[in-house]
Amino acid sequence: MTFKIVCRACHEKFDYERPLPVCPNCGQGWLDAEYEFTHPTIDPQATSNGHLAQRGQEWRQKLAQRGATLWRYRELLPLIHDENIVSLGEGWTPLLKAHNLGLMLGHPNIYIKDERQGPTGSFKDRQAAIAISAMKEAGIKEAVVSSTGNVAIAYSAYSARAGIKMWIFVTSSVPAEKMREVALYGSEVIKVAGTYDEAKRIAAEFAASKNLFLDRGVKGIAAKEAMKTLAFEVAEQLGNALAGEHTAVLNSNNPWRTPDWYLQAVSGGLGPVGVMKGFAELKRLGLVEKLPKLGLFQTSGCAPMANSFHKQLAVAETVKEPRTDITTLATGDPGEAYEVLRELIAQYGGTIDPITDVEAFNALHLVAKMDGISVEPATAVTFAGLFKLIREGKIKPHETVVLNCSGHTFPVEKHIIGEHHTRDMTLPDTGELANRSREEGLLTALEELDSRVQRITIVEDNPDAARLIRRILQAQGDFLIDEAHDGHSGLRLIQETRPNLVILDLMMPGLDGFGVVKAMKADPTLKETPIIVITAKELTDDEKMRLDGHIKALLQKGSFMDSDLLNDIQQALP
Ligand SMILES: *Cc1c(COP(=O)(O)O)cnc(C)c1O
Ligand SMILES: [Zn+2]
């Protein structure tokens, strides 16, 4: 498409012909693309908002003919000819509602942009698709790139398809599993014993010495333009979601929407820079109303942007020796990306916060167990960041949040879950035993598989709340769970099964929670059974009095985490 290259340092503009390493005018690195489509320069009238809005509407009509890949946004992508597209089916990943997490946090509008579902399992597939296509178009046969892991995998896959040889520089801390996948695609991998910033510098020197094309990452055109497509897709999908339709409906008539927040863990900061450019272009075309606030997170062992942001520095202090197990996020020197992001946050709101590795790993387990989403540790940093901003009240309960679920656990799961994650079952010896005793042996073995001893009854009429509580208990593994959905049947169930603990809602049809408590206390065989109340109700003083001394804990719906409930249960159980 027709676009100009604009230099961030000297503001000079150039016609795009091929990917440029630096600005031909001032020699600086940060370049942006400015499209004829959103910045018409020929007809002065065309720059009016009305004209652009009309163009936006016409564009939406054209999109109706196109399929579910990121190439549907062709007019705003930096490639001249379609025949150069190198594709593995990237883009249009699902936008999933965070059902159980949202329920637990009391935030109904949290959406997960599931970038794990890209061709190589991370959102770097977008970057690879656009960057490798642009290289192909420029006739590049060999190229150099540095990576904290996922760019290496994505670029290797796409360059294999395009017939381009990649020289990939990584640090020795990138997990072996990821490196094996890279090698499988036939890339040349060079492991640098040092930090990622050192690997990046050596890659640049190697490219210069061999006169090879060097991928510039966030400073170049392709990468930022690729990440823009996240914004385009989110606008379409969220438009559907907020109109009550399925997010995956292509070409509906629902207005496109910007979330209140875009959340992502950052290393070089490419994702949010691209996403904000995307929303800005849609706004120029009159297709969305605003740009989102940014919730960006770094691992505290390598948090140059978060630290500098909180010190209110205009230029980032670099981290010379990253100390984190989350290698994907180990960029110590974010350079200009920090300045760009800081300006965006000053204008549209948001924050850059540090997250500890422990917080990230806790979030990783929680998200997998609560909503069935298994992520890599870098992505878990984003979920931990979500929890933090909600806890601090920065994200309000009814704001819409889109969280970039940037990468899958698959390549690194061994490092997360260890060896003791299944239980072994030995089948009884078949040889000399008679059939009958063999079957008995099998039954005993099956019986032993279920070692749960503590019995918990949930009395709760709201099916979502019941599911949430059940899920928290199931994932912990030690409990037999019974459920009732009103006070009368709950009381009967408690009388029959004699549970070790009761989890009780207050507002229920028929006999309410207060009634259940009263009945249990009046029954000498049940009056010692511990009760935990979980309620959506704001209790009056009188109601508090009625419960006082009779229950072990009181939790407010939508404002407790799984660990709070499990702690209370542990305290309450005899
Ligand atoms: C690259 C990457 C990040 C960080 O993204 P940037 O926008 O480049 O800072 C986060 N998560 C995963 C899984 C990544 O691969
Ligand atoms: Zn310049």
Side-chain angles (χ1 to χ4, degrees), residues 45 59 97 143 156 172 210 218 241 247 349 409 544 559:
Q45 276 241 297
W59 189 44
K97 193 161 184 169
S156 295
S172 32
K210 291 273 189 184
V218 69
T247 54
T409 323
K544 279 185 195 146
S559 70

Side-chain angles (χ1 to χ4, degrees), residues 52 110 138 315 496 508 555:
L52 278 174
I110 298 170
V315 175
E496 280 161 21
M508 289 182 290
L555 292 166

